[in-house]
Amino acid sequence: MSMRQLVFGLIITLSLSSISHGQSFPDFKQAFPDTLKVMYHVPVAMRDGVNLTTDIYLPTADGKYPTLLIRDMYTNGSSAGRQKYAKFATANGYALVFQSVRGRYDSEGKWYPYFQEINDGDDTLTWIAKQSWSDGKVGMFGSSYLASVQWLAAINKNPALVAIAPAVSPGNYYRDVAYPGGAFSLLSRASWGIGLAGSRTNMSFPIDWVNGISHLPLENLAENVGFKVPHFQDWLNHPSYDDYWKPLNLEARATEMAVPALNIGGWFDVFLRSTIGSYQTMTKESASATSRNGQRLIIGPWPHGWNKSSKLGDVEFGETSLIDTPDMLIEWFDYWMKGSDANSNLISGKAPVRIFIMGENVWRDEQEWPLARTEYRPYYLHADKSLSDKAPTATSGALNYDYDPADPVPTLGGNIMMPKLRGPYDQKPLDGRKDILRFVTEPFTKATEFTGPISAEIYASSSAPDTDFMAKLIIVKPDGTAFNLVDGVIRARYREGFDTPKLIEPGKVYKYEIDMWASSYMLSPGDRIRIDVTSSNYPRLARNLNTGADFAKTSQMKIANQTIHMSKQYPSSIILPMIPSE
């Protein structure tokens, strides 16, 4: 099956309105209190004089309340989904403040993602704390961009911000949002950055994201589909990790934050790496002991639209894979904002980490991440296409394939936003492609778990001065079903660091370290592990055109002959976090 046929079949019905950007409250049916008081479209002035439109929901007309704050770019607060947040807050004794961020809907100012939320969030927190109905304590919750604004507001250590609950949130905007592994996240940045975030409101335009997204050079892509979007052009103009991205590396700014956080992520979420990274850096480096001890991590078998369904892609994870979001959040905020005692895994003295073990399909509490008992075990690629924990002993061994940017490997599953593509899918539609090398283990004879960070070390050479190498971890079931768990990429020029691009010498062997983020899976007897190695994943990632030219500036491309080396000298492998059986 060709790339065009597969991608077209998967996303022909995709529209921007199908992308979920909200908190998951699937069963919340409570109503507003009878004594509710509402104030719509209150102008709140920022430090530069720009007014942001803000709605206020109070449980009663009088009294002082802890406040839950939603800062949103996706709606003006009038939709049923957003009204549900106000019902949730006020029904549980909280005021709810809903604000449209700068430049969106009725809020004044110029819209530009991310950067403006640092000061605007801080100013909004200060404003809430001064109101007659506020007890001075503010919590924030929400997912995706609604989670981003929580971390960005926390940078100034505003004393009013008592606790946050960011779900499926980026934390390193270069490595997660724009350039995972140094390769541009084309599908999400184009559909979100151009089509969704390219206007004041969420307007859906008749854009062909299959053919239109293939336009070259990429620097003209937005104009080609009818938009002029400054932030999208800025993303393209900064393909390396530089001063543009540094303010948005929130993991590196943990010392500037002092807020307890309930970090919620999904094994198939596009921002999984940062959910884990934020938890780790805040636990070690945040500015107060309360904050360091107040970090919690929950990871379920979910995509970016988290906690919506027990089935994702081609895999059913069971009803226990879903959690009770409202009860969890109330427990969290009541503890930090009302001083309520709570006896659960969310609160101090209990397990700070809760993860869903796929395959076994159970939740488990842990004391740390990564798990202290982890045994990191390399599984080596062999020239006979086997995968084993035995290192190669031969002095030579290699396999080749040609990577043609004009016919890239189509995206089929993974940690992405798009509903029709994300999650675990049977990889059979890709079986006929010759530009994928597949390495598979013998069947496991007993139940075997791996949980934790996963990486690959690939020794490779290329005929091109720059190219991409990718690794995908796949579970092969006894019936032949082969579904993806996680994957990773490295753009060759960033092999020594994302801030130090260096072209490669054609024909020279280099070691490429591929961050495949993390996963958790319990293998059953008869299961096998497969590693696919290739050089494209389109349209999730922009194609490397193999010319070594500056990114996004050219439409010229050439075929690259790729050689994966696997010998005693060049032991290509994937490193799995194996968990010893008890």
Side-chain angles (χ1 to χ4, degrees):
M1 180 179 289
S2 70
M3 176 275 296
R4 179 183 171 84
Q5 288 173 321
L6 181 57
V7 174
F8 187 80
L10 285 170
I11 65 175
I12 187 63
T13 60
L14 179 66
S15 68
L16 290 173
S17 61
S18 67
I19 303 174
S20 173
H21 297 285
Q23 195 81 37
S24 179
F25 284 12
D27 300 318
F28 187 80
K29 295 182 174 63
Q30 289 178 259
F32 283 120
D34 293 337
T35 54
L36 180 76
K37 180 179 179 180
V38 182
M39 293 170 275
Y40 293 125
H41 280 49
V42 176
V44 175
M46 301 294 102
R47 64 190 65 183
D48 61 355
V50 169
N51 289 307
L52 303 188
T53 299
T54 305
D55 299 335
I56 304 162
Y57 300 80
L58 303 177
T60 64
D62 299 314
K64 293 181 178 291
Y65 299 95
T67 302
L68 296 180
L69 169 64
I70 294 284
R71 304 193 65 249
D72 197 355
M73 62 154 286
Y74 294 111
T75 84
N76 63 1
S78 63
S79 68
R82 295 316 194 236
Q83 288 285 299
K84 186 166 54 179
Y85 299 168
K87 293 177 181 178
F88 160 74
T90 54
N92 286 283
Y94 290 84
L96 188 284
V97 171
F98 183 98
Q99 184 178 79
S100 295
V101 301
R102 178 180 297 243
R104 300 290 285 183
Y105 293 89
D106 294 318
S107 285
E108 298 173 355
K110 183 178 180 181
W111 162 246
Y112 192 103
Y114 311 125
F115 294 91
Q116 60 195 17
E117 313 303 356
I118 298 174
N119 289 337
D120 287 355
D122 185 48
D123 291 347
T124 303
L125 291 168
T126 298
W127 178 84
I128 291 173
K130 293 179 179 179
Q131 301 309 299
S132 60
W133 42 261
S134 169
D135 72 355
K137 296 179 181 179
V138 183
M140 299 179 72
F141 71 98
S143 61
S144 194
Y145 200 90
L146 283 66
S148 294
V149 298
Q150 299 174 50
W151 287 117
L152 293 165
I155 285 176
N156 288 309
K157 290 186 285 193
N158 193 302
L161 187 59
V162 175
I164 61 176
V168 293
S169 175
N172 182 324
Y173 290 70
Y174 176 82
R175 291 194 60 183
D176 298 327
V177 176
Y179 289 93
F184 186 58
S185 188
L186 176 63
L187 183 57
S188 76
R189 291 308 86 196
S191 59
W192 188 89
I194 298 175
L196 192 66
S199 61
R200 179 170 280 271
T201 60
N202 285 2
M203 295 180 287
S204 293
F205 293 89
I207 297 171
D208 183 350
W209 292 109
V210 176
N211 296 313
I213 206 172
S214 65
H215 176 82
L216 294 174
L218 277 178
E219 65 177 352
N220 298 330
L221 174 60
E223 182 179 354
N224 186 65
V225 296
F227 286 86
K228 186 174 182 180
V229 185
H231 59 255
F232 184 77
Q233 298 307 127
D234 288 343
W235 298 341
L236 295 179
N237 290 334
H238 295 273
S240 300
Y241 180 67
D242 57 17
D243 289 341
Y244 175 83
W245 297 107
K246 288 178 181 178
L248 297 178
N249 183 353
L250 305 186
E251 295 167 33
R253 303 186 69 174
T255 57
E256 301 174 59
M257 294 182 273
V259 62
L262 178 60
N263 301 274
I264 306 167
W267 292 126
F268 295 94
D269 177 45
V270 64
F271 302 137
L272 171 65
R273 197 205 65 82
S274 263
T275 299
I276 294 172
S278 295
Y279 170 78
Q280 290 180 297
T281 56
M282 288 293 288
T283 300
K284 298 174 183 176
E285 302 173 15
S286 59
S288 72
T290 298
S291 175
R292 292 190 294 274
N293 295 327
Q295 302 300 310
R296 297 294 180 265
L297 176 65
I298 298 175
I299 308 178
W302 309 314
H304 194 61
W306 68 285
N307 200 36
K308 298 284 188 180
S309 171
S310 63
K311 184 177 182 181
L312 179 61
D314 291 335
V315 178
E316 170 62 54
F317 293 107
E319 292 184 3
T320 59
S321 64
L322 302 181
I323 62 177
D324 190 329
T325 306
D327 282 357
M328 177 185 69
L329 290 178
I330 284 300
E331 179 185 313
W332 177 252
F333 288 120
D334 279 357
Y335 179 82
W336 291 109
M337 301 177 70
K338 294 183 178 180
S340 300
D341 291 330
N343 183 22
S344 82
N345 293 320
L346 296 179
I347 308 306
S348 301
K350 301 296 182 180
V353 176
R354 194 166 199 230
I355 55 177
F356 189 86
I357 314 301
M358 296 181 289
E360 190 177 13
N361 291 349
V362 297
W363 288 97
R364 192 170 70 212
D365 295 334
E366 296 288 349
Q367 294 299 320
E368 71 284 309
W369 182 274
L371 312 189
R373 62 188 182 279
T374 305
E375 298 176 358
Y376 294 94
R377 186 180 308 165
Y379 280 77
Y380 297 94
L381 284 57
H382 295 273
D384 63 358
K385 297 189 177 181
S386 65
L387 182 69
S388 76
D389 57 4
K390 305 298 183 184
T393 57
T395 56
S396 64
L399 291 171
N400 303 80
Y401 63 92
D402 287 333
Y403 159 49
D404 183 358
D407 183 25
V409 175
T411 298
L412 183 55
N415 294 52
I416 50 182
M417 286 186 178
M418 293 300 180
K420 299 295 183 180
L421 293 176
R422 63 195 181 195
Y425 282 93
D426 192 344
Q427 300 293 295
K428 281 189 178 65
L430 304 179
D431 281 355
R433 296 193 65 98
K434 305 300 183 184
D435 51 359
I436 303 174
L437 299 179
R438 302 168 180 86
F439 304 86
V440 64
T441 65
E442 292 294 320
F444 282 74
T445 58
K446 62 179 181 179
T448 305
E449 179 189 341
F450 58 86
T451 294
I454 299 170
S455 62
E457 296 179 352
I458 303 297
Y459 291 87
S461 56
S462 175
S463 64
D466 187 36
T467 193
D468 290 348
F469 290 103
M470 303 178 185
K472 182 186 292 185
L473 172 61
I474 295 167
I475 302 299
V476 182
K477 305 301 286 186
D479 65 1
T481 302
F483 60 86
N484 57 294
L485 270 190
V486 70
D487 56 66
V489 60
I490 186 66
R491 182 146 291 192
R493 68 173 67 195
Y494 294 115
R495 67 198 179 277
E496 296 182 13
F498 298 113
D499 57 347
T500 54
K502 296 179 182 178
L503 297 180
I504 59 176
E505 180 182 334
K508 183 178 178 179
V509 179
Y510 294 90
K511 179 181 178 180
Y512 295 99
E513 296 181 356
I514 302 176
D515 183 358
M516 299 175 69
W517 298 3
S519 192
S520 177
Y521 195 86
M522 178 70 77
L523 295 158
S524 298
D527 288 352
R528 294 181 290 167
I529 293 174
R530 193 176 95 191
I531 303 300
D532 286 5
V533 177
T534 187
S535 292
S536 51
N537 183 355
Y538 183 83
R540 176 188 174 188
L541 300 174
R543 297 164 289 175
N544 194 316
L545 304 184
N546 297 328
T547 65
D550 290 344
F551 177 67
K553 305 296 184 182
T554 182
S555 57
Q556 295 181 345
M557 61 179 72
K558 68 177 185 178
I559 297 173
N561 179 258
Q562 317 287 55
T563 302
I564 306 301
H565 298 265
M566 46 210 109
S567 64
K568 185 176 182 179
Q569 182 181 5
Y570 301 122
S572 294
S573 66
I574 181 171
I575 295 89
L576 293 178
M578 310 306 289
I579 305 302
S581 58
E582 296 180 357

